Amino acid sequence: MATVNLTWSYADGGNAISDYVDHGNVPNGNNSPGQEIFVRHDGESAITNVGFFIREFTGTYNGDATSNADIIEILGWGDANTAAAFGGIMAHWGATEGSPYGSNYPAYDDKDPINASVHRTGIGDSAESAIELPVTTGAVNAGQIEAGETPGVRFKLRISVPSDEDTVGVRLFDHVAKYSYTS
Amino acid sequence: MNGWTKFYADGSTYIGEDSLVYRGKASWRRSSSDRLVKVTLQHDNTLLSIEGPGEYWQSDEFESSFPGGSTLIRRRIQRKILPSDNFFWVVSSGWESGTQHHIKFHATAGSGMVFPVQRSDIGTWMTVEYDVAKGKWGYRIVKGLL
């Protein structure tokens, strides 16, 4: 089977991201700037069932703990039910909504606001629980990216560090897209 | 010859061998899916097939993370379950290049590994998959196309 390659970029039709995305240094109780990421593919037809999840980092680990400890901690941030402990990997899907990318990111008491998600246990933590690509990303249909160099599908990703986090250090994770293709 | 093959009621076939698909010489979407009676999918030494007249679909599932690129995870064929499907057989056997796993729909019961089709499954999709990384096959019934 010929592989249908997904391309991640910082601009619609732009160069492929060639290294890991660095979300910078984020103090406790703060968020990284939302990093806008575009996705496209090289298939002749649309890809479908597009969803996103995070998993244990699979590259050469050079963080401050272990890849397994990192993913457990990050998912735990998303699971937390107090303001002080809540955080994690958050996606904003509202690229085409009114004022693009509004401020409604998830919170400990509203983890699924309109057009945003936080990866947590059972939600975007595996291929089976992947968060489906919504139409507010510029997709023609939910979970679908049309063929072409500039499909205009994009979202923002940010890291939110809980205010009660007590361990300084680098955290690593894989952010993965899953998708289906029919020739 | 990795790839899929469509088998039609008139005995003809359409071959979606991977290298043909890669070169744009074959396509599931561009070829007819009318009057299909069977679809096979080969990956290395495993041949999967579903048999029975009806609506079929084929897809491959990938994962991609930056900057690692895209990886083929699993390949599948699907057939929509019809009201006339009362039973399905699951048969695994040797074939010329390895092992064949065959699911055949039928209106009447028979001997062997035969399962009744639940009425609640009508309209859903029998899905036969090959997990490329694990080298394992399996089948399941799902609500929609994958």
Side-chain angles (χ1 to χ4, degrees), chain B residues 29-98:
Chain B
R29 294 174 188 266
R30 293 199 307 267
S31 56
S32 174
S33 289
D34 295 333
R35 298 175 60 80
L36 285 173
V37 294
K38 177 181 171 183
V39 171
T40 64
L41 173 67
Q42 181 182 343
H43 192 87
D44 296 339
N45 298 322
T46 299
L47 181 68
L48 306 177
S49 58
I50 307 179
E51 183 175 353
E55 185 178 351
Y56 286 83
W57 192 249
Q58 191 279 325
S59 64
D60 296 309
E61 183 176 318
F62 298 87
E63 289 181 3
S64 173
S65 61
F66 45 83
S70 300
T71 304
L72 175 63
I73 301 299
R74 56 179 62 86
R75 315 189 67 174
R76 59 174 68 98
I77 47 179
Q78 295 181 273
R79 176 188 175 274
K80 199 170 195 177
I81 296 175
L82 303 173
S84 57
D85 294 330
N86 294 321
F87 300 92
F88 67 93
W89 277 257
V90 180
V91 180
S92 295
S93 59
W95 68 296
E96 58 188 20
S97 299

Side-chain angles (χ1 to χ4, degrees), chain A residues 1-6 8 17-18 20-21 44-45 49 53 55 127 175-183, chain B residues 4 18 21-22 24 27-30 57-67 70 72 75-76 145-146:
Chain A
M1 173 60 202
T3 297
V4 175
N5 295 291
L6 197 76
W8 309 74
I17 297 172
S18 59
Y20 298 111
V21 175
E44 283 188 355
S45 305
N49 291 303
F53 64 98
R55 68 181 174 203
H175 183 248
V176 187
K178 55 146 281 197
Y179 54 97
S180 296
Y181 182 75
T182 297
S183 62
Chain B
W4 46 263
D18 284 353
V21 171
Y22 181 71
S27 163
W28 178 275
R29 294 174 188 266
R30 293 199 307 267
W57 192 249
Q58 191 279 325
S59 64
D60 296 309
E61 183 176 318
F62 298 87
E63 289 181 3
S64 173
S65 61
F66 45 83
S70 300
L72 175 63
R75 315 189 67 174
R76 59 174 68 98
L145 292 173
L146 296 175

Side-chain angles (χ1 to χ4, degrees), chain A residues 123-138:
Chain A
I123 306 291
D125 67 347
S126 68
E128 289 72 30
S129 72
I131 300 168
E132 184 182 48
L133 178 80
V135 293
T136 49
T137 57

